[in-house]
Amino acid sequence: MMSTVLLAAQIMAATSSSTIVYADVVHPVSSPPIKNGCIVIRDGHIVKVGTAADIKPTGQEKVIRCAVATPGLVDARGTVGLTGQYNIPHDQDMLERSKPIQPELRAIDAFNPRERLVEWVRQFGTTTVHTGHAPGELVSGRTMICKTYGDTINEVVIVPDAMIACTLGESGLKSQDKSPGNRSKSMAMLRQRLIEAQEYARKHAAVTDSDDKDEPEDFPKRNLQLEALASALNGDMPLLIHAHRTHDIMNALRLAKEFDIKIVIDGGSEAYRVMDEIKEAGVPVIVHPQLIRMYGEMENASFTTAAKLADAGIPIAMQTGYESYVPKVRVLVFEAAQAAAHGLGRERALRACTLDSARLLGVDDRVGSLEPGKDADIALWDGDPFEWTTHCVGVIVDGKQVSTVVR
Amino acid sequence: MLTSLICALLMATPSNILFTNGTVIPVTGPDIEDGHIYVENGRIMSVGPAADFAAPSNTQYQIVDLEGGMVMPGLICTHSHIGGWGGGDRSSPMQPETRILDAIDVQDPGFRRAVAGGLTTLNIMPGSGHLCSGQTVYVKLRNANTIDGRLIRLPDAQIAGGLKMANGTNPQNGPPFPGTRGKSAALVRQRLIEAQEYANQIKRAGDDMDKLPPRDLALETLAEALDGTRVIHHHTHRHDDIMTVLRLAEEFNFRLVLHHVSDGWKVAEEIAEADVPCSIIVIDSPGGKQEAIDIDFKTGKVLTEAGVSIAYHTDDWITDSRYFLRSPALGMRAGLDRETALRSVTINAAEMLDLGDRIGSLEVGKDADLVWLSGDPFSNFTKIRGTWVEGDRVFDIKESEDLLFAQGGWGAGNAERPYMCCEEHVHGGGQ
């Protein structure tokens, strides 16, 4: 027994990259809060979460203290890094207006990890973002999942191709004589393209399954657009469908059923009106930012939607969404705070911007909670994260303290 | 028996109210734990500890039990766009003759959302796409179906309001709008000189009607700004644009409130020196346009420490009136003191509208505009439970329709796209 403790101490002493975070309260999220808690970090990963009394530091570790520690926050849908602070053409890559359907556009080709707004959201505790092409075109492009700290896309990326961003409803429509000009046309165009992708995938599979698959001329000519949609059809990339009004949400569910594809509802202002249908379809909802402006297709949005969906047993997550004007990015902890105060409560709201979000995005093996083996992504606070006057006092990404700014 | 008595009282004298069993935040004095406010005919008759309330004889009154919550003055927003588009059209960069009051849809649901946020007085403004986009109007959010029912009348029966001006990139556009900052300032100076001359002509005419210049609504309005009866509410973001406004104010001696002041923290001493109050916008993240990239939560603190009187504003639709208190709270997050945070949405704001003697604090003789909160005004978890304007209840969270506007939901929003101040000249689009 004695020798085991000694050995453990020696191992810790030998590892120069160890850090211990002590917090008055640690919220692992995957388990109940721990008073006088600590998180032991080694080589970028969490190795232990418990009470301060549980560990025997060697004195060699870097020590960080704070009032409250939570997992680094996981933004379930945003556009940060594709959208920049200046709001001029050179820093706005979230919407390509040339065609209504362009799933071939990849977020990794557009994300700027050094954008000041990426730093901004990081300083408020967000360590992982699901970002990419914005709502606003029928199929605007793809999304990706990345960390908020790093100099190049290669350093930050977790999932290079996460979902395909689609828009049903008013914000995906064109004016004058351009298509899609209304909802029926949106659906017809999307269905037509998915059918073409089915055919493309079928031809591809037929060649792959046949004996003479070494003959490249037998493969259908490569088509980036259809390849992307084929990935939606085979379940690799869900369709992230921006839908606010009731009929737009129902259109999304109908589409998912017809093509037997995975979808995620993005927005869902009126989701509270069709909860049975959403639940039956097994579709999660990334609820619109609490402070979206309640006009147009968002006119019936409510601060209580997150709570209502969660009460109904529908998987939800919090997002910062997309803004064409101000604020160019929203702050995830504020969005979760507002949902917390409108019926979701602190515990579920914290989960909705950490572990639930990571699960919805399929990256909960790495982020979203404070558990041994996970990436050491931690947000440090000087009080209740959901109060306006509390500060984020530090941020750790992959075990490295990347922010000490008090925000 | 008691219930029926209270009901009877309620019906008999709706405007006489005793607020009790809660903390009173008068703003101009220290908080009063276990305080009272007594209201008659829409005016505050007494404020103080609960024990000091002396029931008036021969007068019936309703009792509002604050249930341990807090009551503070109704919130005043110095910069709002609720009610729709209005002011100048695209024909010229300066249109002081236009009035926003001629364009306001008083039944816009935005007003219901505003009272749910505890707001009782707004300065409703035309936009910032002009050097001068027109006359603003100060309104009380009374229960009324017409704009006339919400106007504030000055002692001389004039309608209370200011004049909206802007500089920086928003008013810059193709002809006839200016293309540069230098041209913007030159156009404003030229027009103000014309207004000076117009006012001088009137002065010189004296009683001689024949010497009076023909009435000119635009010059008349600018002359009101020059003689100090109409405050100029000036949109401005960048530090150099702020300095330009101060330079013009010094040259023409007009009374001024600086609005937005994204870079205000960079020229705080200069603003203090000019003795000009500032109304601040709070946005979740910097930018959205070049001139706002250095916007910072610390602006309120820095200006306050320099000696500048500050207010916050919603710029509704830019920020939601129901979350108005979040703005001073985020100012506190960056070091603003609590007392100034309270003043910034009440008495300081009232003074910026020349209404400090009527509203903005809980003092005897002032209008009974108040908001009942479940707890601390700057906590995210506090709920606004009731709002009163001149003793009339305009929001009650227990009423299901009021709750709808407080939370949002089916029918609480606007079908039409609203006016969003400053949005017109930025890249972007999309939803």
Side-chain angles (χ1 to χ4, degrees):
Chain A
M1 178 63 189
M2 188 63 186
S3 61
T4 316
V5 172
L6 195 64
L7 185 65
Q10 283 169 339
I11 290 168
M12 287 182 81
T15 312
S16 57
S17 63
S18 287
T19 301
I20 304 178
V21 176
Y22 293 100
D24 300 342
V25 184
V26 170
H27 291 274
V29 176
S30 49
S31 55
I34 304 164
K35 282 188 183 165
N36 297 315
C38 76
I39 307 149
V40 182
I41 301 165
R42 201 176 303 143
D43 297 331
H45 290 84
I46 296 167
V47 293
K48 186 171 176 57
V49 180
T51 62
D54 289 345
I55 60 157
K56 295 194 167 39
T58 63
Q60 303 296 308
E61 303 89 347
K62 178 182 162 78
V63 170
I64 298 169
R65 295 176 195 279
C66 64
V68 175
T70 67
L73 308 184
V74 180
D75 186 351
R77 204 289 189 248
T79 55
V80 69
L82 282 81
T83 188
Q85 63 172 348
Y86 286 95
N87 213 10
I88 54 180
H90 92 249
D91 74 349
Q92 302 302 305
D93 282 305
M94 69 286 146
L95 267 179
E96 163 67 44
R97 295 298 199 180
S98 53
K99 286 178 194 165
I101 299 181
Q102 304 196 68
E104 65 273 31
L105 308 185
R106 300 186 299 190
I108 53 169
D109 298 320
F111 181 79
N112 175 9
R114 303 186 200 209
E115 163 58 43
R116 183 171 170 230
L117 293 177
V118 175
E119 178 189 42
W120 180 262
V121 301
R122 180 174 73 235
Q123 289 172 344
F124 285 90
T126 300
T127 54
T128 299
V129 290
H130 176 216
T131 185
H133 290 91
E137 291 287 346
L138 181 53
V139 181
S140 65
R142 272 131 70 179
T143 61
M144 66 173 200
I145 302 165
C146 70
K147 297 286 180 81
T148 56
Y149 182 79
D151 288 338
T152 65
I153 183 71
N154 297 352
E155 281 177 44
V156 299
V157 71
I158 302 175
V159 179
D161 275 320
M163 300 189 196
I164 298 175
C166 308
T167 309
L168 296 180
E170 292 141 50
S171 50
L173 301 181
K174 305 280 192 192
S175 54
Q176 288 147 357
D177 56 350
K178 289 185 181 150
S179 292
N182 62 26
R183 288 184 164 81
S184 298
K185 186 72 174 180
S186 291
M187 286 294 282
M189 288 168 69
L190 193 49
R191 291 177 62 230
Q192 181 65 47
R193 212 70 182 121
L194 284 168
I195 286 165
E196 287 161 21
Q198 273 178 331
E199 183 63 14
Y200 179 83
R202 194 189 58 74
K203 279 187 194 160
H204 215 279
V207 180
T208 308
D209 294 344
S210 72
D211 295 336
D212 52 340
K213 62 188 163 207
D214 295 334
E215 300 300 319
E217 63 272 17
D218 291 337
F219 279 97
K221 194 174 163 193
R222 262 190 90 183
N223 180 315
L224 288 178
Q225 217 177 79
L226 296 178
E227 255 176 34
L229 292 177
S231 300
L233 292 168
N234 70 20
D236 287 347
M237 273 197 283
L239 295 189
L240 175 65
I241 303 183
H242 189 79
H244 281 289
R245 292 203 188 271
T246 311
H247 42 321
D248 296 319
I249 295 169
M250 293 308 295
N251 285 352
L253 299 184
R254 195 179 317 112
L255 192 78
K257 196 171 179 188
E258 178 180 355
F259 292 94
D260 190 25
I261 49 175
K262 278 198 287 189
I263 66 162
V264 174
I265 299 288
D266 166 24
S269 288
E270 296 176 9
Y272 56 83
R273 302 183 84 218
V274 282
M275 292 195 291
D276 289 346
E277 290 79 359
I278 294 170
K279 194 176 180 187
E280 196 191 326
V283 169
V285 180
I286 302 176
V287 183
H288 58 79
Q290 292 288 295
L291 285 182
I292 58 163
R293 301 183 177 103
M294 297 176 182
Y295 67 85
E297 63 183 356
M298 303 168 288
E299 65 175 312
N300 297 311
S302 167
F303 297 141
T304 61
T305 299
K308 281 181 183 159
L309 297 179
D311 288 346
I314 295 166
I316 60 154
M318 306 305 300
Q319 65 162 317
T320 59
Y322 168 60
E323 288 291 340
S324 63
Y325 182 38
V326 291
K328 262 330 267 187
V329 299
R330 295 187 183 276
V331 174
L332 186 61
V333 70
F334 296 172
E335 300 301 330
Q338 287 158 186
H342 281 98
L344 196 59
R346 284 179 172 84
E347 191 192 331
R348 288 194 299 178
L350 181 60
R351 231 171 47 213
C353 66
T354 56
L355 189 54
D356 289 351
S357 182
R359 277 187 187 140
L360 196 154
L361 300 174
V363 291
D364 54 315
D365 56 328
R366 287 187 58 181
V367 300
S369 61
L370 302 176
E371 292 179 85
K374 285 203 177 182
D375 296 1
D377 294 355
I378 307 169
L380 313 172
W381 313 88
D382 63 1
D384 178 354
F386 293 152
E387 282 290 7
W388 303 130
T389 47
T390 295
H391 305 94
C392 181
V393 294
V395 179
I396 297 168
V397 174
D398 294 325
K400 183 178 175 186
Q401 185 153 18
V402 297
S403 171
T404 53
V405 176
V406 176
R407 282 276 183 221
Chain B
M1 177 60 190
L2 186 64
T3 317
S4 59
L5 182 66
I6 289 171
C7 287
L9 293 174
L10 215 158
M11 291 172 74
T13 55
S15 63
N16 296 351
I17 314 170
L18 174 66
F19 294 86
T20 185
N21 190 28
T23 300
V24 175
I25 306 174
V27 175
T28 44
D31 292 5
I32 307 162
E33 273 182 54
D34 194 17
H36 86 275
I37 302 167
Y38 178 65
V39 170
E40 265 187 28
N41 301 318
R43 290 279 183 91
I44 295 170
M45 302 300 284
S46 78
V47 184
D52 290 0
F53 174 63
S57 55
N58 301 325
T59 305
Q60 294 176 318
Y61 55 88
Q62 179 198 350
I63 294 173
V64 173
D65 181 348
L66 298 169
E67 298 173 20
M70 295 184 148
V71 63
M72 67 181 287
L75 307 182
I76 300 166
C77 179
T78 45
H79 189 139
S80 182
H81 298 290
I82 298 176
W85 296 74
D89 60 15
R90 302 311 297 165
S91 60
S92 70
M94 292 192 69
Q95 301 183 47
E97 68 276 19
T98 62
R99 301 184 299 193
I100 192 69
L101 77 88
D102 295 318
I104 295 168
D105 174 7
V106 80
Q107 299 184 12
D108 185 302
F111 290 108
R112 300 289 302 270
R113 297 193 295 267
V115 292
L119 280 72
T120 53
T121 301
L122 309 179
N123 174 24
I124 303 180
M125 308 241 262
S128 54
H130 300 71
L131 298 170
C132 179
S133 57
Q135 298 165 38
T136 83
V137 65
Y138 308 154
V139 298
K140 282 284 194 96
L141 298 183
R142 303 181 192 103
N143 289 320
N145 285 328
T146 65
I147 188 66
D148 302 83
R150 288 191 173 156
L151 299 175
I152 297 172
R153 295 281 176 178
L154 300 174
D156 62 1
Q158 291 292 307
I159 296 164
L163 185 66
K164 175 73 180 285
M165 293 184 69
N167 68 0
T169 50
N170 285 9
Q172 291 180 31
N173 215 326
F177 288 78
T180 62
R181 289 179 156 85
K183 180 75 174 180
S184 299
L187 284 171
V188 170
R189 292 180 67 225
Q190 183 63 47
R191 203 79 175 112
L192 288 175
I193 286 166
E194 288 163 22
Q196 277 178 332
E197 178 54 28
Y198 179 78
N200 285 338
Q201 269 181 290
I202 292 172
K203 204 171 161 186
R204 281 196 301 269
D207 296 333
D208 188 348
M209 297 292 282
D210 295 337
K211 288 185 179 167
L212 276 178
R215 246 188 105 185
D216 182 314
L217 283 179
L219 294 176
E220 193 173 278
T221 306
L222 290 176
E224 286 171 2
L226 293 175
D227 73 17
T229 53
R230 186 176 289 278
V231 171
I232 290 180
H233 293 281
H234 209 298
H235 158 115
T236 183
H237 284 282
R238 225 168 65 178
H239 57 91
D240 48 341
D241 290 325
I242 295 172
M243 293 307 295
T244 297
V245 183
L246 296 182
R247 196 181 312 117
L248 294 181
E250 191 178 2
E251 179 179 357
F252 292 95
N253 195 31
F254 53 76
R255 292 176 62 227
L256 172 68
V257 177
L258 293 171
H259 284 254
H260 304 326
V261 290
S262 296
D263 272 359
W265 59 272
K266 296 179 184 174
V267 286
E269 296 299 331
E270 288 78 2
I271 296 170
E273 177 72 18
D275 196 21
V276 171
C278 287
S279 179
I280 302 166
I281 183 75
V282 173
I283 298 292
D284 293 33
S285 61
K289 56 179 173 173
Q290 187 275 339
E291 56 187 8
I293 59 164
D294 289 337
I295 195 169
D296 198 294
F297 296 165
K298 73 181 176 187
T299 302
K301 172 190 190 251
V302 174
L303 289 174
T304 299
E305 287 177 355
V308 177
S309 173
I310 65 150
Y312 287 90
H313 62 250
T314 62
D315 203 355
D316 199 329
W317 289 75
I318 294 294
T319 71
D320 193 310
S321 289
R322 291 168 295 186
Y323 270 99
F324 188 21
L325 285 166
R326 191 184 84 134
S327 291
L330 291 176
M332 288 170 72
R333 189 183 184 111
L336 180 68
D337 65 285
R338 179 188 169 83
E339 190 192 331
T340 307
L342 287 169
R343 294 180 63 97
S344 72
V345 288
T346 56
I347 189 68
N348 287 2
E351 286 169 353
M352 290 178 200
L353 308 182
D354 284 340
L355 297 170
D357 58 335
R358 290 170 65 168
I359 56 173
S361 62
L362 302 180
E363 293 178 81
V364 172
K366 281 198 165 178
D367 293 358
D369 296 355
L370 9 110
V371 52
W372 169 23
L373 307 114
S374 64
D376 187 275
F378 303 115
S379 169
N380 172 42
F381 292 92
T382 291
K383 295 281 182 239
I384 287 164
R385 304 194 59 182
T387 308
W388 286 260
V389 174
E390 295 163 3
D392 281 336
R393 191 151 189 172
V394 295
F395 171 72
D396 181 350
I397 201 167
K398 287 182 184 151
E399 296 286 335
S400 60
E401 199 180 305
D402 284 1
L403 181 65
L404 171 68
F405 288 100
Q407 295 183 333
W410 195 250
N414 294 52
E416 293 292 311
R417 182 176 177 79
Y419 169 73
M420 273 193 258
C421 171
C422 330
E423 189 189 32
E424 49 265 49
H425 305 306
V426 296
H427 175 80
Q431 65 176 19

